[in-house]
Amino acid sequence: MYSDKVMDHFTNPRNVGEIEGADGVGEVGNAKCGDIMKIYLKVEDNVIQDVKFKTYGCGSAIASSSMATEMIKGKTVQEALNLTNKAVAEALDGLPPVKMHCSVLAEQAIKKALQDYALKNNLTIEGLTDVEFDDDHDHHDDIEED
């Protein structure tokens, strides 16, 4: 089942919405599988001053988006880049194995938004140039078999 933190971030998500004139926007997901996540960043002096998200998907996707935005708000661009899906899942007190892809989407959406920010500002962010995005993720790849 779901942890209390997952349920809290699903029923009371933080940072929902859009940022007009965002410094960076990242969208990941796949309509075929049903989860689409969009992250908006406002960056000043290399610090994420504001972050918002819009997610179409299951409760775990919404909770992962909410938690991830809470985890990067007020952080430097580099700190946000270093956020992992495992850290998001751990902060939610775990996700079921078949829902771990939701935390992966959150990590990827943040990285895409950072990539957009770097492109718009003609910046090179160390560690961002070799990031690969899996827009056609398969939910069943996450299931561990015994």
Side-chain angles (χ1 to χ4, degrees):
M1 285 279 61
Y2 295 104
S3 72
D4 290 342
K5 281 190 183 177
V6 171
M7 293 307 295
D8 180 42
H9 278 269
F10 168 58
T11 57
N12 304 295
R14 284 64 149 183
N15 307 309
V16 175
E18 296 179 38
I19 297 175
E20 285 292 322
D23 296 311
V25 179
E27 183 173 344
V28 295
N30 185 313
K32 178 176 66 178
C33 70
D35 295 329
I36 300 173
M37 197 175 288
K38 196 167 190 176
I39 300 273
Y40 302 82
L41 301 175
K42 190 69 171 169
V43 182
E44 292 176 23
D45 298 322
N46 201 43
V47 175
I48 297 170
Q49 298 295 326
D50 197 12
V51 56
K52 301 276 187 209
F53 79 90
K54 290 180 104 175
T55 294
Y56 176 82
C58 65
S60 294
I62 293 166
S64 292
S65 302
S66 175
M67 180 58 82
T69 60
E70 285 287 277
M71 293 174 78
I72 66 167
K73 191 182 258 186
K75 303 289 186 191
T76 66
V77 166
Q78 193 62 49
E79 288 170 325
L81 177 61
N82 292 333
L83 181 71
T84 65
N85 72 295
K86 287 183 175 72
V88 173
E90 286 172 9
L92 288 167
D93 292 336
L95 288 170
V98 297
K99 294 296 182 178
M100 279 301 288
H101 68 276
C102 296
S103 63
V104 172
L105 277 180
E107 176 187 342
Q108 289 183 338
I110 288 167
K111 287 181 175 159
K112 268 209 171 168
L114 290 169
Q115 197 173 53
D116 184 51
Y117 165 70
L119 190 63
K120 287 177 178 175
N121 292 280
N122 198 26
L123 299 170
T124 300
I125 300 173
E126 189 176 330
L128 190 58
T129 53
D130 57 350
V131 174
E132 291 183 26
F133 299 102
D134 180 11
D135 287 341
D136 195 27
H137 65 278
D138 180 356
H139 292 239
H140 304 291
D141 285 349
D142 309 302
I143 299 172
E144 296 179 13
E145 296 181 20
D146 295 318

